[in-house]
């Protein structure tokens, strides 16, 4: 068993935010020791570097394609193949685990597992499920139902009533879903329906219960408005996604029910001029309320709301919105792993954990421009990026082209 030693780096304890100079020993795909004066078969000098766990993105869309791709005008395979550069870009940024918030099918996960393509570990939700008229229910006056994405690997996501909610969970699980994603409000991209309640407590509670019956799967809920976030918490959802307009009651319900908050701040903070009036300020206030209530927070980038190559800007937003640099890094590592049920395996630099590591230039916890500091990336003990390789060449990753950088999704399913 070959032992590699990362020597004399400043190692972050993701849980406490404390740092110390230490050596980290990797053997096969595991961290086997952390300490001073450790030896191995191969040494890597990390003097002057900060070692952090591989980043865990709890909300991304790896199959949303480049901005020029029109879902109505390209073959279905183009959308799936667009994930190849997207996944490579995220991995070279140190994102070693992703929960796909809908769009990727089980074949993408299979391709990564079999090393046909390079990418982070992928947890799937397949489609975002919702009731008639919800943002996943594509319909137009001239055509009626119009489904850009439906095929056997991405089952019908629409349901009405508690029994139908159980059936939609069964369809998703049959097709390989690890998580169930439910939409409870409209889309902020449209600027409408964000305070709606698009399903009942009985419907959501049935989805949560059925998911738990099916291999203890859990539910993530797209909810911009406060009442939808409160409903998600009281129905037993594991996480609220976005939560742009929380209030104190919603935050208290989330804390009481141990519901995680995945704020995806890039939606409103990166380009606030493109967000609805007041959304950027409301989102920051939601973070304040959540932090004050003791709600647990995990990172989700909502890529490609920004180009995949800029996904780590989410760390800067988390820090500025109240978590601070250490808290933002915790949200992107050990806390994100806890939300996904993976904390026993990854999310911190400790003996026995999986060797997912990112080596950053400089020793500061500063989250201002983490993407520019990537020096080395290890996923599952294998080095996947070389110095200077964190950024994909222009045009390589979907959304990396000069210009807008936003995915060309049907507006009703974006955000």
């Amino acid at each position: 068993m070959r032992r590699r030693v990362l020597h004399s780096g400043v190692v972050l304890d993701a849980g406490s935010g404390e740092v110390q100079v230490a050596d980290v020993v990797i053997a096969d795909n595991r961290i086997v020791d952390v300490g001073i004066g450790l030896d191995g078969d191969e040494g890597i000098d990390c003097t002057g570097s900060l070692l952090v766990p591989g980043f865990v993105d709890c909300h991304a869309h790896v199959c949303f394609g480049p901005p020029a791709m029109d879902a109505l005008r390209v073959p279905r395979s183009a959308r799936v193949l667009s994930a190849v550069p997207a996944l490579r870009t995220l991995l070279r940024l140190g994102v070693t685990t992703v929960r796909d918030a809908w769009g990727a099918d089980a074949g993408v996960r299979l391709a990564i597992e079999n090393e046909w393509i390079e990418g982070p570990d992928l947890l799937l939700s397949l489609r975002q499920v919702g009731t008639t008229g919800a943002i996943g229910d594509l319909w137009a006056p001239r055509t009626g139902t119009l489904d850009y994405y439906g095929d056997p690997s991405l089952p019908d996501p629409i349901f009405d009533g508690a029994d139908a909610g159980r059936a939609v969970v069964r369809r998703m699980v049959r097709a390989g879903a690890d998580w169930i994603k439910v939409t409870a409000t409209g889309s902020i991209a449209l600027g409408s329906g964000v305070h709606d309640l698009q399903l009942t407590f009985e419907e959501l509670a049935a989805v949560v219960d059925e998911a738990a019956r099916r291999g203890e799967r859990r539910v993530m809920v797209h909810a911009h408005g406060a009442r939808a976030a409160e409903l998600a918490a009281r129905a037993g959802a594991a996480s609220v996604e976005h939560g742009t307009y929380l209030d104190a009651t919603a935050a208290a319900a989330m804390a009481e029910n141990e519901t995680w908050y995945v704020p995806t701040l890039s939606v409103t903070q990166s380009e606030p001029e493109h967000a609805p009036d007041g959304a950027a300020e409301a989102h920051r206030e939601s973070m304040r309320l959540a932090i004050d209530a003791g709600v647990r927070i995990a990172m989700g980038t909502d890529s490609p709301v920004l180009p995949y190559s800029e996904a780590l800007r989410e760390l800067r937003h988390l820090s500025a919105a109240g978590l601070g640099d250490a808290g933002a890094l915790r949200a992107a590592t050990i806390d994100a792993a806890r939300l996904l049920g993976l904390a026993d395996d990854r999310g911190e630099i400790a003996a026995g954990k999986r060797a997912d590591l990112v080596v950053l230039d400089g020793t500061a916890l500063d989250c201002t421009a983490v993407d520019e500091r990537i020096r080395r990336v290890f996923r599952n003990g294998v080095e996947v990026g070389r110095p200077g390789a964190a950024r994909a060449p222009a045009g390589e990753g979907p959304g990396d082209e000069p210009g807008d950088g936003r995915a060309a999704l049907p507006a009703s399913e974006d955000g």
Side-chain angles (χ1 to χ4, degrees), residues 4 26 28-30 96 115 121 345-346 354-357 378-384:
R4 285 171 294 163
I26 299 173
D28 290 336
N29 68 338
R30 293 284 148 182
T96 53
E115 299 182 349
D121 280 15
D345 183 63
R346 65 196 72 175
R354 207 174 87 154
D356 291 348
L357 297 162
F378 296 84
R379 172 188 173 270
N380 209 22
V382 176
E383 186 169 3
V384 296

Side-chain angles (χ1 to χ4, degrees), residues 13-38:
D13 181 324
S16 70
E18 297 178 355
V19 296
Q20 63 176 350
V21 176
D23 304 325
V24 179
V25 182
I26 299 173
D28 290 336
N29 68 338
R30 293 284 148 182
I31 298 168
V32 297
D33 205 355
V34 180
I36 300 295
L38 303 178

Side-chain angles (χ1 to χ4, degrees), residues 290-333:
I291 292 169
D292 288 351
V295 176
R296 299 175 296 178
I297 297 171
M299 184 184 78
T301 67
D302 209 7
S303 298
V305 66
L306 288 177
Y308 295 104
S309 60
E310 298 178 19
L312 294 186
R313 288 176 66 179
E314 184 70 21
L315 286 165
R316 179 172 66 187
H317 299 317
L318 288 168
S319 176
L323 290 185
D325 292 329
L329 290 167
R330 183 177 65 248
T333 54

